[in-house]
Amino acid sequence: VASLHANVASDWGAWTPDAGLRYEDYDDVGGELTGKLAARFAVSESLTLRGSASRNFRAPSLSQIGFESTSTGFDAAGRLLQGRLLSVNNRIARGLGATDLDPESALNLSLGATFQLDGGFDASFDVFRIDVDDRVALSERITGTALTNFVQANFGVPGVQSVAFFVNAADLRTQGAELVANWRGELAGGDLRLNAAWSYAETEIRRLADTPAVLRTLDPDYRVIGVEESNTLTDAAPRTRAVLPANWDAEPWALVGGLTRHGRPPRV
């Protein structure tokens, strides 16, 4: 991997612009130029506005390209199955429609504000949108007699009951907001610090990968990305999260506490 990075920052009165460029080159997926533009505007001593736009690039990891494993487990009907995770270079995966993985690319946009008030209180609020193209994810588990017969007939490998491999699964869009607040003061002869953070993020699928023709020919119900993996992409993490840590320090004593709440997953 070769990379170059340049950053320019200057102060123009109330405005503080920032720009950056990065170039990465990979032997297997080629090179990519990415960058970031950001700016801060000081409305007053207590209020600052900020925003940024950046384009990012992530090459597939070695484990996504080359890792393989075999496991035994139960399917949804309670039957014992032997499953195989295949690399995209495996001849069986290729026969089922696997292709070389493309890099992921992302566009990040954010806009927010920071507040500093008297009495040791400060806060920040940001909204954001992240568009990810060609997200790499694991395919659905492809199972059934049609799969077993196809693999044995074409590759001479008997008893293959379930396979999965990595694919460029989808284009995603994540939108959300984040609020962070801090307060510092004195209590009972010690320094007290209270923090609060809340975040909301919702992910939607803008495009799903097409199922390879060979899989549709084997069984019209086969999907390279179906309901299970679609739900994993959009709903694996809770949409809301709140954190409330607190710290009180009065030497030689110190007390630390915290509360974290994850929102309920959306109904499917």
Side-chain angles (χ1 to χ4, degrees):
V1 179
S3 64
L4 294 173
H5 181 74
N7 181 271
V8 178
S10 60
D11 194 345
W12 297 346
W15 286 95
T16 305
D18 184 81
L21 288 174
R22 180 180 177 89
Y23 179 77
E24 298 177 76
D25 184 72
Y26 294 80
D27 291 339
D28 50 354
V29 297
E32 188 76 14
L33 181 67
T34 58
K36 178 179 181 179
L37 293 174
R40 297 174 68 254
F41 179 71
V43 179
S44 65
E45 292 185 358
S46 60
L47 175 62
T48 300
L49 304 180
R50 61 188 180 185
S52 67
S54 64
R55 185 174 179 273
N56 300 289
F57 166 89
R58 192 189 76 84
S61 66
L62 292 177
S63 60
Q64 290 172 332
I65 295 174
F67 178 76
E68 295 198 359
S69 67
T70 300
S71 61
T72 301
F74 294 95
D75 66 5
R79 296 168 299 186
L80 194 64
L81 291 179
Q82 185 180 83
R84 294 185 61 180
L85 172 60
L86 304 176
S87 75
V88 294
N89 297 317
N90 186 288
R91 62 193 183 107
I92 297 176
R94 290 284 182 172
L96 294 171
T99 60
D100 293 339
L101 296 176
D102 293 325
E104 298 176 352
S105 61
L107 176 64
N108 299 266
L109 304 172
S110 68
L111 184 64
T114 62
F115 312 87
Q116 290 185 339
L117 304 179
D118 294 335
F121 178 82
D122 64 81
S124 65
F125 179 75
D126 295 274
V127 294
F128 59 87
R129 191 183 86 180
I130 305 171
D131 289 345
V132 178
D133 292 339
D134 295 320
R135 168 70 183 273
V136 177
L138 198 60
S139 73
E140 298 283 351
R141 291 185 300 170
I142 302 164
T143 64
T145 303
L147 168 74
T148 303
N149 293 341
F150 174 82
V151 173
Q152 183 164 357
N154 290 273
F155 304 100
V157 181
V160 176
Q161 300 171 298
S162 172
V163 300
F165 47 85
F166 282 96
V167 297
N168 289 109
D171 296 342
L172 305 176
R173 171 170 292 170
T174 300
Q175 300 182 94
E178 184 176 53
L179 174 65
V180 178
N182 305 289
W183 181 81
R184 304 168 187 83
E186 295 183 356
L187 178 68
D191 295 325
L192 178 64
R193 180 185 177 99
L194 301 177
N195 309 98
W198 171 88
S199 63
Y200 172 86
E202 181 177 357
T203 299
E204 62 177 285
I205 295 174
R206 297 184 294 132
R207 180 193 63 85
L208 275 179
D210 294 330
T211 299
V214 62
L215 287 179
R216 294 199 304 268
T217 301
L218 286 177
D219 189 328
D221 291 332
Y222 281 159
R223 296 289 184 273
V224 69
I225 297 294
V227 174
E228 181 178 353
E229 291 305 321
S230 295
N231 289 340
T232 299
L233 291 171
T234 59
D235 300 327
R239 291 184 180 178
T240 60
R241 181 173 183 264
V243 182
L244 298 170
N247 184 292
W248 179 79
D249 189 357
E251 293 186 359
W253 300 98
L255 296 176
V256 177
L259 174 67
T260 300
R261 183 185 187 278
H262 296 277
R264 294 180 180 178
R267 295 181 178 179
V268 180

